[in-house]
Amino acid sequence: MLAFANRNLKVFFRDKTAVFFSLLAVFIVLGLYVLFLGDVWTESLQNIKEAKQLMNCWIIAGLIGVTSVTANMGAFGIMVEDKSKNKMKDFTVSPMKNFKLIGGYILSSFVVGSIMSVVALAISQAYLIYSGAESLTLNQLVEVFLVILVTTLSNSAMVLFIVSLFNSEKAFSTASTIMGTLIGFITGIYLPISMLPESVQTVVKLFPTSHGISILRQIFMERQMEVSFSNIPTSYIDEFKESMGVVYYLNDKLVSNTTSVMILIGSAIIFFLLAIFIMSKKKR
């Protein structure tokens, strides 16, 4: 399994275009924020100290959260290519067992998603320091890394499930484009969740990746919020957190970080099982 995962990693990183497009969403959203959205959101927070730096932390956390989705789509593209070119049939008749074959794809995509997310983290840290926002401490960086791993695991399972539905590279490419477009809306990184219709807010709160982003926002914004919200009433701070998706409420109950992690792990298990079921059914 490790040897097959290593093969997939070599194939992915050999394709410089695939690597670039895995990070393209980061640069697009960051560019949109710097050129357009940032000023709009900052103007609505004129009474908040260092509002721009605070919103920088907010957008960066969202970008890191969705990077593993786009990176996983690129990594699992290898699996679709193997299917369309009938390489999968060659692998299935080899001595390698099926679970090792699937495990190799999963492991390689998980590694790709984690690496790309860490690269996005490095870029974000440089941007935050440049913008004058509070940078992360060593302990916070460790926390972010752990959240990245759990979020990437969940996203790997979700993308594997999506990939299991396709055998054509063109169909998968279309699905990737749609997913890449929608991911910013269904995770609440283009617009604050309070600006979305209630039905869409519910989708955001139920989408597993959103919970990873929520935890990342709490970590990234913690120190900056101490600066921005000094001498600000607690009631306003709580309202701000809810409206910006820093925390989520389901049935009027605050979703704890422990619950968010359980949602990520639970979704990973469910999507993995569904994907394996679909792929085994197709083989029959």
Side-chain angles (χ1 to χ4, degrees):
M1 183 172 72
L2 292 177
F4 187 65
N6 186 49
R7 170 259 181 187
N8 295 335
L9 289 172
K10 288 181 178 179
V11 172
F12 176 80
F13 285 107
R14 191 183 301 141
D15 187 348
K16 306 302 181 185
T17 304
V19 176
F20 172 75
F21 277 101
S22 296
L23 288 172
L24 184 59
V26 175
F27 296 113
I28 290 177
V29 177
L30 188 58
L32 286 172
Y33 171 74
V34 172
L35 296 175
F36 305 105
L37 300 177
D39 290 337
V40 175
W41 295 339
T42 302
E43 287 176 4
S44 65
L45 299 171
Q46 291 181 353
N47 296 327
I48 303 299
K49 183 180 178 181
E50 297 185 9
K52 185 173 182 179
Q53 287 85 341
L54 181 66
M55 293 308 299
N56 286 346
C57 295
W58 182 83
I59 190 67
I60 288 300
L63 287 177
I64 294 174
V66 300
T67 296
S68 65
V69 177
T70 56
N72 272 306
M73 294 294 281
F76 273 117
I78 298 171
M79 183 176 176
V80 178
E81 181 181 348
D82 289 343
K83 283 183 182 180
S84 63
K85 294 183 178 179
N86 293 321
K87 292 181 182 180
M88 188 75 79
K89 293 182 179 179
D90 296 333
F91 296 143
T92 53
V93 298
S94 69
M96 183 169 54
K97 295 181 179 179
N98 286 337
F99 79 90
K100 290 186 177 181
L101 180 67
I102 296 174
Y105 286 118
I106 294 171
L107 181 58
S108 59
S109 69
F110 174 76
V111 172
V112 168
S114 299
I115 290 175
M116 293 295 103
S117 296
V118 170
V119 171
L121 173 60
I123 295 172
S124 69
Q125 277 293 91
Y127 176 73
L128 288 179
I129 294 172
Y130 172 78
S131 67
E134 292 287 330
S135 59
L136 299 180
T137 64
L138 180 59
N139 287 339
Q140 287 177 321
L141 285 172
V142 173
E143 290 175 357
V144 168
F145 180 70
L146 293 176
V147 175
I148 284 175
L149 293 181
V150 178
T151 306
T152 301
L153 178 66
S154 175
N155 290 335
S156 295
M158 177 182 65
V159 176
L160 174 64
F161 169 71
I162 295 173
V163 169
S164 66
L165 302 173
F166 299 100
N167 292 316
S168 164
E169 288 187 73
K170 289 184 178 180
F172 176 70
S173 177
T174 302
S176 298
T177 302
I178 295 173
M179 188 68 176
T181 303
L182 292 179
I183 192 66
F185 291 101
I186 57 180
T187 55
I189 67 169
Y190 290 151
L191 294 171
I193 189 172
S194 61
M195 298 179 65
L196 302 173
E198 281 193 27
S199 57
V200 180
Q201 289 185 32
T202 301
V203 172
V204 172
K205 293 176 182 179
L206 294 177
F207 196 68
T209 309
S210 301
H211 289 271
I213 291 175
S214 171
I215 301 175
L216 288 172
R217 282 173 178 160
Q218 293 173 45
I219 298 172
F220 269 88
M221 298 173 71
E222 181 182 5
R223 297 179 68 197
Q224 188 59 51
M225 286 183 70
E226 291 177 359
V227 175
S228 298
F229 291 125
S230 58
N231 302 320
I232 297 292
T234 304
S235 58
Y236 177 85
I237 298 174
D238 293 339
E239 182 182 342
F240 173 84
K241 288 181 178 180
E242 182 180 3
S243 66
M244 299 302 295
V246 179
V247 296
Y248 293 128
Y249 284 84
L250 289 172
N251 295 325
D252 296 325
K253 291 184 178 180
L254 177 65
V255 178
S256 66
N257 287 347
T258 302
T259 301
S260 292
V261 171
M262 290 175 64
I263 290 173
L264 288 168
I265 295 175
S267 65
I269 295 172
I270 292 172
F271 279 124
F272 276 137
L273 293 176
L274 286 173
I276 291 172
F277 172 75
I278 290 173
M279 287 188 287
S280 62
K281 194 174 182 180
K282 283 184 176 181
K283 288 180 181 179
R284 295 173 190 173

